[in-house]
Amino acid sequence: MDVDTALKAIAEPRRREILKLVWSEELPAAQIAARFKDVTRSAVSQHLGILREADLVLERRDGTRRLYRANHAEMDRLRRYLDEYWTDSLQRLQQLAESAEREKGTTDG
């Protein structure tokens, strides 16, 4: 997984909405596009392409239709990456705070 590509893909609010739509069910592109009244069908197709390139949605062809569903495995990898990132950052912050508290204790005494 290319984390940067995935993060750029989900940075756009409409793409996050698309992911929500296809999280629990596989939907055809036309049905996804119908949910967005203020966006052209072509624009929705471009959003789906970006999500597909980021490997966040999977595409299946059924005749002439293209069906999309969330790639739960990739989304889980992205979630784990972000969890590790935040956990590591919080641990570093805690270590800095504890170190500052120890320093303060030695200078107060």
Side-chain angles (χ1 to χ4, degrees), residues 22-59:
V22 298
W23 189 258
S24 302
E25 63 181 317
E26 187 176 59
L27 294 173
Q31 194 172 342
I32 295 167
R35 306 272 180 102
F36 296 91
K37 302 297 181 200
D38 61 332
V39 181
T40 66
R41 194 168 174 171
S42 175
V44 170
S45 290
Q46 289 176 345
H47 286 309
L48 284 165
I50 290 167
L51 289 168
R52 195 178 65 246
E53 286 173 20
D55 208 21
L56 298 177
V57 297
L58 301 171
E59 177 188 89

Side-chain angles (χ1 to χ4, degrees), residues 25 33 48 51 84 91-92 99:
E25 63 181 317
L48 284 165
L51 289 168
E84 288 175 21
Q91 286 173 343
R92 282 194 301 274
S99 176

